[in-house]
Amino acid sequence: MNDALTLDDLAVPLRALRLLTVDFGHLPAPTVGISPIYPNRLDLSLHSGLPGFEAWREALGIAPEDVTYRVQSDGRTRVLRAIAAYAGAELELTGYGDVPAPVPVGAAV
């Protein structure tokens, strides 16, 4: 028995991507991910700082309190993540940005 999904099985996130393109084509281009492992999920990742994430978050109507925050890469990268429903798909929005360099105590600002 072949349990492999077909491209038709990924129609929900593909349809969501098409609608996002029509509705939000003016927003920063994200890295897009669709996987047969999670056939109803559409991943949008923004790697050029957090303003692009915020633009998408606002456009999608995701409340700030629904965003999770963490730091990775030995404290050098901020990661914002939110999950929302869009056009029947589970949309995972992730933004990556540099952590500002801390100012040493006593340093002139």
Side-chain angles (χ1 to χ4, degrees):
M1 182 165 99
N2 185 355
D3 291 344
L5 296 179
T6 66
L7 191 57
D8 282 341
D9 295 320
L10 301 176
V12 170
L14 289 168
R15 182 176 30 252
L17 180 59
R18 184 180 65 203
L19 292 172
L20 287 170
T21 302
V22 171
D23 293 340
F24 304 114
H26 62 284
L27 291 177
T31 298
V32 175
I34 298 173
S35 170
I37 296 169
Y38 301 103
N40 289 318
R41 182 182 296 168
L42 174 62
D43 294 319
L44 302 179
S45 298
L46 295 126
H47 297 267
S48 299
L50 300 178
F53 174 90
E54 285 300 315
W56 275 100
R57 182 194 62 74
E58 289 178 12
L60 293 167
I62 300 170
E65 58 269 15
D66 293 332
V67 175
T68 61
Y69 173 83
R70 65 184 170 90
V71 177
Q72 67 183 32
S73 301
D74 291 329
R76 295 185 317 256
T77 303
R78 294 183 289 179
V79 182
L80 299 179
R81 181 175 175 262
I83 295 179
Y86 184 82
E90 178 185 65
L91 189 142
E92 182 175 342
L93 180 64
T94 308
Y96 300 92
D98 294 334
V99 171
V103 177
V105 175
V109 179

